[in-house]
Amino acid sequence: MRKISSIFILCMLFPLAGFAAGGPALDLEKADNSLEDKDSLKRGAVLFSNYCMACHSVKYLRYNRIARDFGWTDEEVVEAMTYGQNRSVDNVTTRMLPGVDEEVLGTKVPDLSLMARLKGSDYIYSFMRGYELDEKTGEWDNRLLHGTVMPHVLEGMQRHMSAEEFKQATRDITNFLEYAGEPAKLQRHDLGWKVILFLLVLILLTYLLKKEYWRDIKH
Ligand code: HEC
């Protein structure tokens, strides 16, 4: 019997062993962002446009989708994110001309649409905050992606903001990128509450109905 139970326990542990073998754990800061915070999402979209879109796209998103989800009008979204340079039906693509990345940076700049799903929000947050000055070379390096060709684009922002403000700004950008990875999440959250509310009302109604049915029956 004991043998059987230890085999059973071993089998249960196997999936855990699989996870543990996924590579060294990264030391990540918690992003603590919230998709329910629409103001944070709006700030994140504007910061993303100002600091990241010189190189990156989130090409699976359109401006009018963002408008609908964040509570902007079509005019407001293109004004906030592109100074009115784009149409609201356009996809959110980088302002960099094709091929310039490989010419100037020597590599292709990744699209960030699915980056939050690929690497997690905490990674994106920590990556933006992970730049450290290398004492020897005097150049910025990223502790999560050593030797990265992406420059420390938030250096000026970090210098001019308090630690708390910089946390919020990087959290807002992370929030926007988590949204970009799965825009339907916003509706799912909304729908979840409605379903729960519906079920509660249904329980109340069935309870009242039961009382009504059994009222005249002695039991
Ligand atoms: C000057 C161009 C440039 C700008 C501006 C820029 N990036 Fe990047 N980014 C890159 C390049 C190039 C890479 C690929 C890095 C590499 O392979 O070393 C990259 C990679 C990334 C990655 C993936 C990292 C990984 O582990 O693979 C993330 C996340 C990212 N950038 C986020 C941002 C965010 C957020 C901003 C705005 C705050 C931003 N980037 C602004 C050029 C840029």
Side-chain angles (χ1 to χ4, degrees), residues 56-207:
H56 290 285
S57 304
V58 277
K59 65 180 179 196
Y60 297 121
L61 261 187
R62 285 177 201 277
Y63 291 105
N64 55 6
R65 172 79 201 241
I66 298 175
R68 191 152 31 95
D69 288 341
F70 292 8
W72 265 325
T73 63
D74 282 6
E75 289 75 34
E76 280 168 343
V77 74
V78 287
E79 191 53 44
M81 291 186 71
T82 77
Y83 300 100
Q85 295 297 303
N86 280 79
R87 292 168 309 154
S88 61
V89 291
D90 290 342
N91 290 72
V92 181
T93 48
T94 173
R95 290 187 265 277
M96 186 157 60
L97 294 172
V100 172
D101 48 357
E102 280 176 296
E103 234 168 76
V104 177
L105 298 165
T107 183
K108 268 199 173 346
V109 175
D111 182 87
L112 295 186
S113 307
L114 300 174
M115 193 57 82
R117 285 176 75 173
L118 187 68
K119 301 216 165 186
S121 298
D122 291 346
Y123 179 87
I124 306 245
Y125 179 70
S126 308
F127 178 67
M128 276 187 275
R129 308 171 55 76
Y131 282 85
E132 292 162 344
L133 205 55
D134 185 328
E135 300 290 339
K136 275 185 245 133
T137 61
E139 286 183 19
W140 289 103
D141 192 21
N142 195 302
R143 71 179 181 87
L144 292 178
L145 195 66
H146 284 294
T148 180
V149 276
M150 176 169 142
H152 183 14
V153 292
L154 300 180
E155 183 192 351
M157 184 201 266
Q158 189 168 25
R159 209 164 344 109
H160 291 113
M161 283 182 170
S162 69
E164 213 35 57
E165 285 168 337
F166 187 62
K167 258 191 189 156
Q168 190 57 49
T170 42
R171 181 178 297 132
D172 292 341
I173 299 174
T174 305
N175 211 15
F176 175 70
L177 286 175
E178 182 176 329
Y179 156 80
E182 204 183 347
K185 241 190 204 172
L186 284 189
Q187 275 96 32
R188 243 192 3 242
H189 279 205
D190 271 6
L191 192 68
W193 282 113
K194 284 178 197 147
V195 169
I196 288 172
L197 201 70
F198 171 77
L199 287 176
L200 285 177
V201 171
L202 199 67
I203 288 171
L204 186 72
L205 285 178
T206 26
Y207 176 69

